[in-house]
Amino acid sequence: MAIPIGTKAPDFTLKSKQASGLVDVKLSANLGKKNTVLLFFPAAFTSVCTNEMCEISGGINDYAGLNAEVIGISVDTPFAQEAWAKQEKISLTLASDLNKEVIKKYDVVFPMLAGVGDTAARAAFVIDKNGVVHYSEQTPTPKDLPNFAKVKETLAKLK
């Protein structure tokens, strides 16, 4: 079960492959500045994950307008995430939890997805500028998407 509302969100440092090379993505970089939406997803290059990340990318300005940065996290390599982002025109930051440490910290491990191994469950968290979780949702199955209307509603209250 995903970590609950009211919890101090575990900090992390993950790698993201961007035009400038490999960069660190840290939750703590947003503390005191803006809210953060963490979207855990099972795997790049899959249909539901592609639809989710493309939909979020298409509305990324909505999140910026709510003073929030959106970070997508999966257990894919940063290089696979970059190739997928380029192919699908995904504009949000993608971060690699290749060692599966962050999915364990947030308690969103999906065991043996399609028989290939543990991945991230599909989940969404809204974390305020102080690092406190205000929204926590793990979907019932990897095919289900988080309730993005509730994510935005939560962000609007934090603005």
Side-chain angles (χ1 to χ4, degrees), residues 99-119:
N99 295 325
K100 302 175 184 173
E101 293 169 4
V102 178
I103 63 172
K104 290 174 186 169
K105 285 181 182 180
Y106 281 79
D107 201 13
V108 291
V109 176
F110 190 92
M112 292 305 293
L113 178 72
V116 298
D118 295 350
T119 66

Side-chain angles (χ1 to χ4, degrees), residues 22-120:
L22 281 174
V23 298
D24 286 341
V25 175
K26 299 179 182 188
L27 174 63
S28 56
N30 287 342
L31 297 184
K33 299 175 190 168
K34 58 180 130 180
N35 304 306
T36 306
V37 177
L38 297 182
L39 297 177
F40 289 87
F41 63 95
F45 295 102
T46 59
S47 62
V48 178
C49 295
T50 298
N51 290 340
E52 178 185 16
M53 293 301 133
C54 287
E55 180 181 320
I56 296 300
S57 290
I60 201 72
N61 289 334
D62 294 346
Y63 292 94
L66 292 166
N67 194 31
E69 178 183 7
V70 181
I71 302 170
I73 300 173
S74 73
V75 300
D76 299 291
T77 69
F79 309 103
Q81 289 176 340
E82 178 192 37
W84 180 53
K86 282 182 180 177
Q87 176 181 305
E88 300 297 339
K89 297 176 179 59
I90 296 167
S91 58
L92 63 120
T93 299
L94 298 178
S96 171
D97 186 22
L98 190 61
N99 295 325
K100 302 175 184 173
E101 293 169 4
V102 178
I103 63 172
K104 290 174 186 169
K105 285 181 182 180
Y106 281 79
D107 201 13
V108 291
V109 176
F110 190 92
M112 292 305 293
L113 178 72
V116 298
D118 295 350
T119 66

